[in-house]
Structure formats: structure tokens, C-alpha cells
Amino acid sequence: MSAVLDVREIRMTFRNGDELTEVLKGIDLALEPGELAALLGASGSGKSTLLSIVGLLLRPTTGTITIAGQRVEGFSDTESALFRNQRLGFIFQFHHLLPDFTATENVAFPAAAPAGGITPSMRQRARELLARVGLSDRMDFPARRLSGGQKQRVAIARALMNKPDLVLADEPTGSLDRIAAEQVLDLMREVNREDGATFLICTHDEHVAARCTRRITLQDGHVEGNAQAESISK
Amino acid sequence: MFALSVARRYLFSNPSQTALLIAGVALGVTAFVFITALIQGLAIRLTDDVTANSAHVSLEPLTRVARVLPSPDADVESVAVVSTFQRRQIRAWASTVELLRSQSSVLAISPQISGSAFLVKGEAVAPVAVTAIDPSGLDAISPISTELVSGDANLGADGILIGVRLAENLGLSAGQPVLFRTDRGIDRLLTVRGVFQTGLQSLDERVAYLSIQTARPLFRLPEGVTNIEIKLIDPNSAREFAAFLHEATGLRATSWQEKNASLEGALTAQAQTGTLIQLFSLISVLIGIASALSLSANRRRGEIGIMRAFGVSRRFIAAVFVWQGLLIGMVGAGIGCLSGFALCAWLASLTKPDGTMALPIAPAEGGYVAVFLLTTLGAVLASVIPARSAARLDPLEAIQQ
Ligand SMILES: Nc1ncnc2c1ncn2[C@@H]1O[C@H](COP(=O)(O)OP(=O)(O)OP(=O)(O)O)[C@@H](O)[C@H]1O
Ligand SMILES: [Mg+2]
């Protein structure tokens, strides 16, 4: 089976004036379809940076990225946007729903914007997804009236709208309380199991990591396990 | 079109702020309409005042100038001097009147003898500008008979109409005799038939009307006339018509605009001032739109960032803001045109105690189409700046904030 995500030798150096900070020092990472992977590491270890690079929101200094068989690191802005729209799903710590739109409209948005409007079939799918995340009774609520946990569940449904190959989540439970976090996590596990959607989830939370099918830890700009593997093989 | 419905949603999401913004645009447009209608109204009133009481085109013989005549002796140039005592006249005036009658643009024709004279009453002497006309065409150029304050307009063979100032100066009233002395030194006793008041001091103090038949012997013009005054259906066509008449008759044809060059200058200066005010009201409207949309784009950074993250194009984001500008501009301009018209119509309905308009405003001339199009177009242009900055937002930066 070919990998959904295959990154090789990713390096990322930030420049602040004359000061250079090398955050990622050669990341190699592959995700198989259906994996639910936790990306762990100390604060400042570069988790969000790596996720942004994989999500085509940030260009790495060097390295190659293959998603669903396509080399993407050389994409133009427009190609990246189109690719994000069709192949990737995003969940952020702060949901960033569109507060003036209903839950259904928020979920349908990634499909509606490029198509020029919400079609009945988009609405239908959005409603199914909302039912899936347990919000059947909130479909026509304006997003601003939803609770934090409800908003994050809408954000998950939105990330799934265009049937992405890979869902990238940055601290998806970071701003939720224990119970809401639990629900969101269960939901992601369920979608992962039932749809075979592949997840890469950045988290600090051991609790989250424990429920994932795989743990990837960043340390000193490397993937920890890999670094070990390298040192063992030497 | 999805961008349009997003734009609408954004505008409706904060109704009071949107209403305030639209009110600002409408206010600017109202100011524009008001100033346009006022300036147009002033121009119309001034033009009307001038064209209502004077001829639109005047025909006179060409001014005689000293001419150089060819001389048999090539070294000597002789100058033909035209006698200033020879009165300039239009001899073939009947055929000219005939030509004018055949023109559909002509409203009224008045062949006249104009000259100067003195009115003598006892010790008092006053110079007058005489207009001698066919009594049946007394009102052809200026509605004298409606402006009489005493007596009547029946000139007869020895009648004269004088202005109210002149009557006061000479202590004359209707029915009294007055000695009329022409610049030819001919005297005749005439009777004041009526006294008129036009409101224009120069007319009320200096002008006298008599019958052309009475005037002929007095000015020694048995056949000709000195000038033909013409009123047109459309005063604005006077220039072209004067040019046509000059071509056709060889006479000097002067339009009312030429005679009132200072009025034209004043109207132009007034129009320029108006343009400046219009420009400022438009600019302030556009700055208002640009700044309001910039604030909105800034407040919605997070949303814009997430939209960009899930692959919405830059063009879509820009379109959302341009649509907002267009909607605000159109609605604001529409409301502004309506309220501007209402304001102007109300001002136009206000009258002074004497029944005339308090403000010379022309509600129909508010430049509505122009201001609507300019505001709408300007609003689109004003929204381009916030639209571009929103579209250029780096999604990652916007999300991480
Ligand atoms: N645009 C940038 N310019 C300079 N340095 C940056 C930039 N973005 C991130 N960094 C640096 O890169 C490092 C990694 O940041 P990143 O946000 O990826 O960490 P993280 O692992 O997600 O941390 P946390 O768990 O606190 O979210 C940090 O030291 C940060 O200061
Ligand atoms: Mg982070």
C-alpha cells in the first residue's frame, strides 16, 4: 500500500533579521492510509511548523513532500490552495468557524466556495456530517451561538467535507474541557475507523496520544524514533 | 456569485455598523445632489432672468469701420470716412422678417428703431434709450404690458411708456404730457400713457417705448429699422442661430450669450466651484468606504485565514470585499439620491413673502445618474485596497493570531 504522506529530509530554518533558527533538521516521515498519528514534542519543538509544511501553508527550506502520490513542495500558491481544498482537511485549536453562517453552511463552505454556491447535494452531505458529529439538532444554528465543543465538532465535519486524503489537526482539543475533548477525540477515532481517513494530530496531551494508533515525537528537529533508529543502525 | 452572498451575509451580520456606513454614503450623495441642484438652479434662474426680458438674437447693420480704398496713386492710401451722422439702418428689413418667419425655431420677431433722446419736463431733463416698436408687438421681447404700474399699454400716435424711476425723477405720471427731444434735435410733445416697473434699475430709469410710426419722423428713418430683435423657442440655440443669420443676411447677429459675456463667466466660475464641492463630497464618501472595509477585513483576519487554509482562492476573498463595496455604494447612492431629491424638492417649495422661490434650486437637476454611477464605481475602486490586503493575508499568520 502506498503512503498517504511521505516527507523526506524536511529542513526549516527561520530567519529573524540576522538570526537563523533551524527548527526542523531533516524530518523523514511516512503515514499509511488509515493511520491516526499523534505528533508529540516539547513546546517549541516544531510540531505546528511541520504540520503547516505538510498542509502547504508554509514552504520548507529544503525537502520533498509527497501526498497521495503527488509531489507538492513545488506547487504555486494557486496550486497549493486547490490541493488543500481537494485533498486536505484542517482542524485548528481555535475552530475559526465563520460566525455569520449556520453550522451546515460552515461545513459546506469548502465545497461551496470553488463551486460558486451551496448545492442541495452539498447541503445534504453537510447535514450527514453534522449528524455524524452529533449536531443534528444544531444544523441551522448560526455558528456564533454554538458552544466551544460544538464549534470544534463543526470544524471536524468541515474538515471532512471534501473527503480529504489527509486530515491535519493542530491541538484540536487544546481549548476544550476534559469531556468535550473526549468527545472530539472519540469522534476523530470513529471517523478514522469507519471512513479510513488518515489523521496527523499535533498534541501536548498524553491522553490524546494514548488513543492514537501511532506516536511520532519531535526532538531537536528530528523525529525521535528515527533518530534512535539511525543511531542503532550506526 | 457565492462571494456575493458571503458579502451580503457580512453586511447583515452587523446591521447597525452597516446602516451607519450606508448613512454616511447617503449623506455625501445628498450633499452632492444638493450642490448640483443649487448650482443648476442658480444658472437656470440667471439665464431665465436674462432671456425672459431680452432678445435672444439681435440683428443690426454691420458696424461701419473706416476702410482703405484702392487709390490710383500706389504710394498714397486714401481712407473713406463714413459719416457718423448717417444713421445705420437695415433697409431691406421686410425680407429679413420674411426669412425669420419661415424659421420654426423663432418665437417672436420685433423690428425696432432704437435711438437716444431726452425727456424734458419743465426744468428737468433726462436722457432715455428709445425703443420704438410696432404697438401690436409690444410684448414680443419683454412683457412690458404686464409690468405696468399705472396707465395702459395703448401707445397710439403720440403715446410713450416710461419706467417708474424715470417717472419719479421727472415727476411724471400717466396721462401727462412730456417734451421729447431726439438726438437729431427734433422736438415733439408726447403723452405718458403708462408707467412700467421691471425691477431692473437700468430699464426702469432709462428706457422709453413708443410706436414705430411715431418714431420714424423723429429719427428721420422713413423706411428702415435700426435693429431686429428675435426671441427663440430654445434660448440655448441662440449662438448657432445667430451664426446662421449672419451667414444668411450679412447683418451683424449677436446672441444673448455674447451680450452677457460676464454672466457666462460667472456661470462657469460657479460651475467650477460646484465641481470642487462635488469632488470633495465624493472623496469623503470613498474614504469612508475604504476605511470601513479595511477595518472589517482586519477584524475578520481569522476567518479569512481559515478560508484560505481550506483552499478558498484569493480572488474569492477579494470578491467578497469588492461586492461589499459595491452593495454599500449602490444602496448608499440610491438612498442619497432619494433624500437629496426630497431635500431639494422641499427647499424648492419654500417661498419668500412675495411668492418667489426662497432658493433658486432645481430638484430635477441633481445629477442623479452621474452621482449614482460615480459613487457605485468609486465604491468598487475604494474596496479594492481592503480587498487586496484581505486576499494577500498569509493564512498561517492569520490563523495563529
Ligand atoms: N515565523 C517564524 N519565524 C521565526 N521563528 C518561528 C516562526 N514560526 C515558528 N518559529 C519558531 O519555531 C519554533 C517551533 O515553533 P512551533 O510553533 O512549530 O512549535 P510547536 O512545537 O508547535 O510548539 P507548541 O507546542 O508550543 O505549539 C519555535 O521556536 C518558534 O519560535
Ligand atoms: Mg504548536
Side-chain angles (χ1 to χ4, degrees):
Chain A
M1 211 185 227
S2 68
V4 173
L5 172 71
D6 191 355
V7 301
R8 297 275 166 89
E9 265 306 301
I10 291 286
R11 288 173 184 275
M12 188 69 208
T13 306
F14 287 110
R15 169 190 283 275
N16 264 329
D18 286 342
E19 197 187 330
L20 297 177
T21 326
E22 190 171 32
V23 177
L24 303 178
K25 302 174 180 169
I27 302 286
D28 292 310
L29 176 65
L31 290 183
E32 296 303 320
E35 276 195 288
L36 181 67
L39 185 59
L40 296 154
S43 180
S45 59
K47 303 184 293 295
S48 295
T49 303
L50 180 58
L51 209 72
S52 301
I53 289 172
V54 170
L56 307 190
L57 293 168
L58 187 64
R59 276 176 205 285
T61 311
T62 61
T64 65
I65 309 161
T66 311
I67 301 174
Q70 249 183 300
R71 281 285 287 272
V72 298
E73 74 276 2
F75 274 5
S76 70
D77 271 8
T78 315
E79 288 169 324
S80 299
L82 192 66
F83 191 87
R84 287 199 299 271
N85 185 259
Q86 295 176 344
R87 300 302 188 82
L88 301 177
F90 291 90
I91 303 164
F92 295 95
Q93 176 171 2
F94 301 101
H95 56 84
H96 287 300
L97 296 185
L98 311 179
D100 305 308
F101 290 79
T102 65
T104 308
E105 288 165 337
N106 263 283
V107 174
F109 210 100
I118 302 181
T119 64
S121 66
M122 288 177 198
R123 201 170 281 277
Q124 173 70 19
R125 173 161 170 80
R127 286 172 174 279
E128 279 165 20
L129 287 167
L130 282 171
R132 199 61 199 286
V133 300
L135 291 173
S136 299
D137 55 343
R138 292 287 185 276
M139 299 207 199
D140 297 318
F141 255 56
R144 76 174 94 82
R145 298 248 182 82
L146 299 171
S147 75
Q150 287 169 338
K151 281 176 184 163
Q152 199 58 306
R153 283 188 274 161
V154 173
I156 292 171
R158 176 175 65 186
L160 299 173
M161 179 70 193
N162 285 346
K163 302 189 172 136
D165 295 298
L166 176 61
V167 179
L168 303 168
D170 196 348
E171 315 267 6
T173 59
S175 59
L176 303 178
D177 65 24
R178 190 81 256 162
I179 295 165
E182 204 69 39
Q183 283 175 337
V184 163
L185 195 60
D186 285 344
L187 191 62
M188 289 195 291
R189 280 161 53 101
E190 189 187 309
V191 170
N192 168 258
R193 259 200 326 272
E194 291 174 9
D195 299 12
T198 310
F199 280 80
L200 181 58
I201 304 170
C202 263
T203 186
H204 281 299
D205 191 341
E206 261 308 320
H207 200 73
V208 173
R211 289 163 159 233
C212 289
T213 57
R214 181 174 166 196
R215 305 166 61 106
I216 301 158
T217 308
L218 288 188
Q219 199 173 30
D220 300 329
H222 293 279
V223 174
E224 206 176 42
N226 291 2
Q228 267 177 357
E230 271 169 32
S231 62
I232 289 167
S233 71
K234 270 175 197 166
Chain B
M1 281 304 123
F2 191 47
L4 170 59
S5 59
V6 175
R8 265 207 332 255
R9 197 68 68 90
Y10 275 11
L11 290 177
F12 278 119
S13 90
N14 200 335
S16 57
Q17 195 175 324
T18 303
L20 214 58
L21 183 55
I22 287 176
V25 175
L27 204 66
V29 171
T30 303
F32 184 105
V33 166
F34 167 74
I35 206 73
T36 309
L38 183 62
I39 291 214
Q40 286 295 320
L42 268 169
I44 290 171
R45 175 184 275 190
L46 285 173
T47 310
D48 277 356
D49 282 354
V50 169
T51 57
N53 288 301
S54 61
H56 299 162
V57 179
S58 302
L59 285 176
E60 293 162 300
L62 280 174
T63 312
R64 296 203 177 163
V65 290
R67 279 177 299 155
V68 177
L69 293 175
S71 160
D73 182 350
D75 291 339
V76 183
E77 288 180 336
S78 61
V79 174
V81 178
V82 177
S83 163
T84 52
F85 287 103
Q86 189 185 338
R87 185 164 288 278
R88 293 161 27 210
Q89 59 173 306
I90 305 171
R91 283 184 200 282
W93 62 276
S95 65
T96 306
V97 167
E98 215 42 54
L99 167 73
L100 289 169
R101 287 231 171 87
S102 70
Q103 299 296 316
S104 60
S105 54
V106 173
L107 188 66
I109 308 157
S110 177
Q112 303 182 344
I113 291 173
S114 301
S116 30
F118 295 96
L119 290 187
V120 183
K121 167 80 177 173
E123 295 288 285
V125 178
V128 288
V130 179
T131 301
I133 68 264
D134 187 87
S136 66
L138 178 66
D139 291 335
I141 303 302
S142 182
I144 291 300
S145 63
T146 65
E147 287 165 342
L148 290 178
V149 290
S150 67
D152 59 47
N154 203 350
L155 280 170
D158 65 345
I160 184 166
L161 301 179
I162 58 173
V164 64
R165 291 288 196 117
L166 187 58
E168 275 169 21
N169 291 349
L170 292 176
L172 282 169
S173 58
Q176 290 188 330
V178 63
L179 186 67
F180 186 87
R181 175 173 295 157
T182 68
D183 55 358
R184 299 288 143 126
I186 300 174
D187 285 0
R188 177 153 181 206
L189 205 60
L190 298 176
T191 305
V192 177
R193 297 285 183 203
V195 177
F196 58 83
Q197 181 168 26
T198 63
L200 291 170
Q201 181 167 344
S202 58
L203 294 186
D204 293 347
E205 190 171 286
R206 289 267 294 145
V207 173
Y209 291 90
L210 45 149
S211 155
I212 196 163
Q213 293 312 326
T214 314
R216 286 198 179 284
L218 293 173
F219 289 97
R220 295 204 175 127
L221 275 176
E223 289 152 8
V225 298
T226 58
N227 54 299
I228 303 174
E229 303 298 313
I230 301 152
K231 266 210 135 94
L232 299 174
I233 291 170
D234 175 15
N236 292 320
S237 68
R239 262 184 225 279
E240 297 82 69
F241 194 68
F244 158 75
L245 283 182
H246 175 70
E247 275 300 304
T249 64
L251 296 169
R252 194 158 82 119
T254 316
S255 66
W256 65 270
Q257 290 101 323
E258 263 180 88
K259 279 194 210 162
N260 296 281
S262 61
L263 171 74
E264 274 229 299
L267 290 181
T268 310
Q270 195 176 280
Q272 283 166 349
T273 313
T275 306
L276 207 66
I277 301 176
Q278 289 166 338
L279 202 68
F280 281 133
S281 56
L282 269 185
I283 289 175
S284 62
V285 160
L286 302 190
I287 289 176
I289 292 176
S291 63
L293 288 182
S294 295
L295 282 176
S296 154
N298 202 45
R299 210 177 28 167
R300 295 186 186 274
R301 285 170 67 90
E303 283 173 60
I304 295 166
I306 194 77
M307 282 197 245
R308 294 277 298 125
F310 59 64
V312 168
S313 69
R314 287 180 200 275
R315 281 183 53 177
F316 183 92
I317 305 286
V320 169
F321 283 86
V322 173
W323 275 119
Q324 288 186 75
L326 181 74
L327 290 175
I328 290 166
M330 267 173 45
V331 174
I335 294 175
C337 282
L338 288 178
S339 67
F341 179 77
L343 175 71
C344 293
W346 176 67
L347 289 172
S349 73
L350 296 181
T351 51
K352 288 195 284 200
D354 65 359
T356 59
M357 263 170 128
L359 256 184
I361 201 160
E365 305 286 333
Y368 301 100
V369 175
V371 71
F372 186 84
L373 293 179
L374 282 174
T375 307
T376 306
L377 185 74
V380 169
L381 293 179
S383 65
V384 165
I385 304 161
R388 278 169 65 125
S389 74
R392 283 183 180 168
L393 210 63
D394 177 27
L396 195 56
E397 248 176 66
I399 292 163
Q400 283 173 349
Q401 272 179 354

